[in-house]
């Protein structure tokens, strides 16, 4: 049995219910097999056994008062996975589905993603099973303050720098930062995704969506193609989806779908211009449902209870490019087959692990350009890294400067994936290339430190 398959067997036995973590680990470990053959020093130093185990997991209770004055208790987490190449860095997810297995998958992926950005950031992830949906602003504030009342002792600008993720946007980061600053009496770059007036970076809100489209554009360019005139399916309607729509529009593509956890809308005329602004206001200010888009614009059809990928499959929608930007495992094997049948040539993952292993197999077997999340959505954390640099320097770069750096980083990540895939014998395989390129830098650092 190979080193990597032994490790996989062990983690499945150790924590049998952490399915998403097993799924992420399996994909990475399978890719790393050739590195174990080429680098016996990694095997001897048990780098594979060590990288799979988080440096530490912090779990804590978060008691907070709801608007009725009743005490509620949620569970908070921070997984500090690996800081071999820089301070821990990774998002914070507030969603009722949050559990240790999901955060371990996200934290593990983050190690390789952050390494790919070329910036000095280790991997981490955190969050809570708190559901901000349907809560008043005051409730969200009290929860965020209570969450930070415990988290503050574990983080710091050179220790661990959390950011947003599902359910955590500018509003939540503002509340958490406010509490951190009050407790520590310290105005510092301890969180990213901050508001512009208190240390945030221009283009950070846009960065994951823009970066995903930049990555897709790089993949298309290898075939002499671009976004012009292409029909694009995007899922989700949150931070990543909104700015993916904006960038696709700028590059001349037409986005025809968006969704939330209740329904999907299809607008054959394209979600552009004022309609794009409407979605941002609906989701970020009104905090409404995407079905309201179809009430507002007669040109759209709403499918209740179906995901974007269900609708593509059931309605036979023709799609050139797919950008999943909602959540993990949203595209299964049957969705992937429908995408192939309906003409899709390129998939770039804005969300983390949106494609099941079966779906990835279908994409690869059919020769689609397939950019995995840890490469395609790395623009968000990369720009968080740029926010950290600006905080340290006490300077703010212009929008053009940050966007140019983001574009440069995405091009670089694309090239690193292709280069590593070629050197290690699987030319053109972005999944393999991303895992190997991300791993090597971290593994070499771990090797240099000795057995810690
Ligand atoms: P948001 O909370 O802003 O938006 C998430 C969107 O996805 C919402 O429209 C939400 O709908 C929808 N969604 C969530 N769960 C489901 C589900 N089970 N079925 C259908 N729709 C669902 O989160 P982000 O846009 O920030 O994050 C989206 C993805 O991108 C996540 O996988 C995240 O890990 C990843 N990502 C985010 C980064 C960032 O910078 N924000 C960086 C890198 C990756 P509803 O409102 O109904 O819940």
């Amino acid at each position: 049995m190979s080193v990597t398959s032994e490790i996989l067997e062990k983690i499945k036995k150790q924590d049998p219910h952490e399915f998403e973590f097993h799924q992420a680990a399996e994909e990475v470990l399978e890719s790393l097999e050739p590195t174990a053959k080429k680098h016996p020093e990694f095997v001897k130093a048990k780098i594979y056994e060590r990288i799979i185990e988080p440096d530490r997991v912090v779990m804590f209770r978060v008691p907070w008062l709801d608007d009725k004055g009743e005490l509620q208790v949620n569970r908070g987490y921070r997984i500090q996975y690996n800081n071999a190449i820089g301070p821990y860095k990774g998002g914070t997810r507030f969603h009722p589905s949050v559990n240790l297995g999901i955060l371990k998958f996200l934290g593990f992926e983050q190690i390789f993603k952050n390494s790919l950005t070329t910036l000095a950031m280790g991997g981490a992830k955190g969050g809570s099973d708190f559901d901000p949906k349907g809560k008043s602003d005051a409730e969200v504030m009290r929860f965020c303050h209570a969450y930070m009342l415990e988290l503050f002792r574990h983080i710091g600008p050179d220790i661990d720098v959390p950011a947003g993720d599902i359910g955590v946007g500018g509003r939540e980061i503002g509340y958490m930062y406010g509490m951190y600053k009050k407790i520590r009496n310290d105005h510092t770059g301890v969180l990213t995704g901050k508001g512009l007036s208190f240390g945030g970076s221009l283009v950070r809100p846009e960065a994951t969506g823009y970066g995903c489209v930049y990555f897709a554009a790089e993949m298309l360019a290898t075939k002499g193609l671009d976004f012009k005139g292409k029909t694009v399916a995007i899922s989700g309607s949150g931070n990543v989806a909104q700015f993916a729509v904006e960038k696709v529009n700028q590059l001349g593509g037409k986005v025809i779908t968006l969704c939330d956890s209740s329904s999907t809308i299809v607008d054959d005329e394209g979600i552009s211009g004022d309609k794009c602004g409407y979605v941002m206001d609906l989701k970020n200010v009104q905090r409404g449902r995407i079905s309201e888009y179809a009430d507002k614009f007669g040109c759209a059809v709403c499918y209740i209870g179906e995901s974007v990928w269900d609708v593509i499959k059931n309605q036979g929608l023709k799609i050139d490019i797919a950008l999943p930007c909602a959540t993990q495992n949203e595209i299964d094997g049957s969705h992937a087959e429908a995408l192939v049948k309906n003409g899709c040539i390129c998939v770039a993952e804005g969300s983390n692990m949106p494609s099941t292993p079966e779906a990835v197999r279908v994409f690869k077997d059919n020769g689609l350009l397939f950019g995995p999340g840890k490469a395609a959505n790395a623009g968000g954390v990369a720009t968080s890294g740029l926010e950290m640099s600006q905080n340290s320097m006490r300077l703010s770069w212009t929008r053009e400067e940050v966007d140019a750096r983001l574009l440069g980083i995405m091009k670089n990540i694309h090239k690193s994936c292709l280069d590593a895939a070629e050197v290690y014998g699987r030319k053109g395989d972005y999944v393999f290339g991303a895992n190997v390129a991300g791993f090597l830098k971290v593994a070499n650092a771990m090797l240099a430190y000795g057995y810690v």
Side-chain angles (χ1 to χ4, degrees):
M1 199 186 252
S2 67
V3 182
T4 51
S5 45
E6 261 176 43
I7 296 169
L8 190 63
E9 198 162 282
K10 185 176 158 211
I11 61 168
K12 284 184 176 172
K13 230 182 247 165
Q14 233 171 11
D15 299 298
H17 49 279
E18 293 181 349
F19 307 111
E20 290 86 357
F21 174 56
H22 302 158
Q23 185 182 333
E26 184 156 9
E27 182 214 278
V28 171
L29 288 169
E30 190 275 332
S31 298
L32 298 186
E33 196 51 52
T35 66
K37 293 209 174 85
K38 203 164 175 166
H39 298 277
E41 70 278 18
F42 292 166
V43 177
K44 182 165 184 293
K46 295 218 171 4
I47 298 290
Y48 303 92
E49 286 86 342
R50 284 195 279 151
I51 205 167
I52 202 83
E53 201 61 54
D55 288 354
R56 71 191 59 79
V57 174
V58 184
M59 270 170 79
F60 49 98
R61 72 170 174 273
V62 188
W64 58 281
L65 282 179
D66 67 17
D67 285 345
K68 292 188 210 114
E70 224 168 274
L71 185 68
Q72 303 290 334
V73 183
N74 284 91
R75 181 174 282 177
Y77 304 83
R78 187 71 187 166
I79 302 184
Q80 298 180 331
Y81 224 113
N82 187 300
N83 68 351
I85 61 167
Y88 300 109
K89 179 89 196 89
T92 306
R93 179 174 291 193
F94 291 165
H95 194 272
S97 65
V98 161
N99 60 38
L100 197 52
I102 288 184
L103 294 181
K104 274 175 73 181
F105 122 61
L106 290 163
F108 184 63
E109 289 275 296
Q110 199 81 43
I111 304 171
F112 307 95
K113 184 189 304 192
N114 292 3
S115 166
L116 280 171
T117 67
T118 70
L119 304 177
M121 298 182 290
K125 199 81 189 188
S128 172
D129 57 358
F130 172 75
D131 187 359
K133 254 195 294 231
K135 302 287 189 302
S136 71
D137 206 47
E139 288 177 322
V140 170
M141 179 183 73
R142 287 195 291 271
F143 175 81
C144 290
H145 285 170
Y147 181 82
M148 188 51 83
L149 264 174
E150 171 59 31
L151 187 68
F152 83 94
R153 66 187 89 247
H154 306 290
I155 61 176
D158 296 315
I159 301 169
D160 184 358
V161 183
D165 190 75
I166 290 180
V168 179
R171 174 182 63 167
E172 291 75 17
I173 294 288
Y175 290 146
M176 287 192 274
Y177 188 61
M179 182 51 87
Y180 180 89
K181 197 173 63 59
K182 181 156 179 78
I183 306 169
R184 288 276 196 215
N185 195 25
D186 201 4
H187 203 302
T188 184
V190 70
L191 294 176
T192 57
K194 298 186 290 301
L196 277 182
S197 61
F198 53 95
S201 172
L202 285 160
V203 192
R204 175 61 189 93
E206 293 90 337
T208 309
Y210 277 20
C212 178
V213 176
Y214 290 150
F215 193 89
E218 286 299 299
M219 291 199 292
L220 289 168
T222 63
K223 306 272 181 208
L225 299 169
D226 60 30
F227 268 95
K228 276 194 204 85
K230 300 288 187 304
T231 301
V232 182
I234 295 182
S235 63
S237 48
N239 172 265
V240 181
Q242 291 168 17
F243 289 103
V245 173
E246 188 170 278
K247 186 50 77 178
V248 169
N249 285 331
Q250 287 170 12
L251 297 185
K254 182 169 82 165
V255 178
I256 63 162
T257 65
L258 281 175
C259 75
D260 57 25
S261 51
S262 314
S263 58
T264 287
I265 56 109
V266 178
D267 181 349
D268 285 330
E269 292 176 13
I271 302 163
S272 57
D274 290 351
K275 293 188 265 186
C276 204
Y278 171 80
V279 172
M280 292 190 186
D281 183 66
L282 175 70
K283 284 294 174 181
N284 308 342
V285 182
Q286 312 301 330
R287 302 194 184 269
R289 308 307 294 157
I290 199 66
S291 56
E292 293 170 47
Y293 182 102
D295 302 334
K296 170 98 178 157
F297 303 108
C299 48
V301 183
C302 180
Y303 297 87
I304 307 280
E306 290 187 54
S307 73
V308 164
W309 320 110
D310 293 335
V311 172
I312 289 173
K313 184 170 103 176
N314 299 338
Q315 305 297 321
L317 291 187
K318 293 281 169 221
I319 292 294
D320 299 308
I321 298 164
L323 306 177
C325 296
T327 192
Q328 65 272 1
N329 290 330
E330 49 177 306
I331 303 181
D332 67 19
S334 73
H335 295 133
E337 274 161 18
L339 280 167
V340 171
K341 193 167 140 220
N342 297 348
C344 183
I345 51 167
C346 174
V347 179
E349 296 184 331
S351 38
N352 283 307
M353 206 169 73
S355 312
T356 64
E358 296 71 39
V360 176
R361 216 164 295 132
V362 172
F363 294 143
K364 283 185 175 175
D365 288 351
N366 287 279
L368 268 68
L369 293 164
F370 176 69
K374 67 171 72 65
N377 71 35
V381 72
T383 309
S384 278
L386 301 179
E387 183 174 331
M388 289 163 72
S389 303
Q390 293 170 80
N391 291 163
S392 298
M393 294 189 298
R394 306 212 187 285
L395 283 175
S396 298
W397 293 329
T398 62
R399 172 170 291 276
E400 291 69 31
E401 187 161 3
V402 180
D403 195 24
R405 284 178 193 263
L406 169 64
L407 177 61
I409 289 170
M410 296 316 295
K411 281 176 182 267
N412 205 0
I413 294 174
H414 177 266
K415 185 173 179 311
S416 305
C417 293
L418 284 186
D419 289 351
E422 185 156 5
V423 170
Y424 283 81
R426 288 199 219 164
K427 198 172 171 195
D429 184 337
Y430 288 96
V431 175
F432 176 76
N435 289 332
V436 170
F439 169 76
L440 288 174
K441 188 171 155 195
V442 179
N444 281 315
M446 290 174 73
L447 199 63
Y449 297 142
Y451 299 164
V452 290

